[in-house]
Amino acid sequence: MPAKSKAQQKAAGAALAAKRGEIKKIELVGASREMYESMSEQQLDEFASTKRKGKPEHVADRRG
């Protein structure tokens, strides 16, 4: 599943770097920390590799 916004793509990239040991988990905040804990490395790679061109910076939260 591709990222829907630039913010999602960036957060996934940070979480992926932590999964790979390139940065420390403690450096993650917000969405990137949630992604780190709830997604596999493969899922994060799919999100992080999404092209940014044409994506909005943020997508409105549609939860309740």
Side-chain angles (χ1 to χ4, degrees):
M1 177 179 193
K4 294 182 180 179
S5 70
K6 292 177 186 179
Q8 277 184 339
Q9 191 270 340
K10 291 176 190 177
L16 180 60
K19 283 264 189 196
R20 292 180 174 169
E22 297 168 8
I23 63 172
K24 295 179 182 178
K25 176 186 169 187
I26 199 155
E27 295 178 35
L28 300 176
V29 294
S32 58
R33 180 169 290 225
E34 289 178 25
M35 289 175 140
Y36 174 88
E37 294 175 356
S38 66
M39 297 174 75
S40 70
E41 186 172 334
Q42 182 180 355
Q43 290 172 315
L44 290 169
D45 188 46
E46 289 175 19
F47 261 72
S49 64
T50 302
K51 302 291 185 209
R52 290 188 200 177
K53 187 174 183 176
K55 298 273 187 224
E57 187 62 37
H58 293 278
V59 174
D61 186 11
R62 299 189 187 218
R63 289 182 268 174

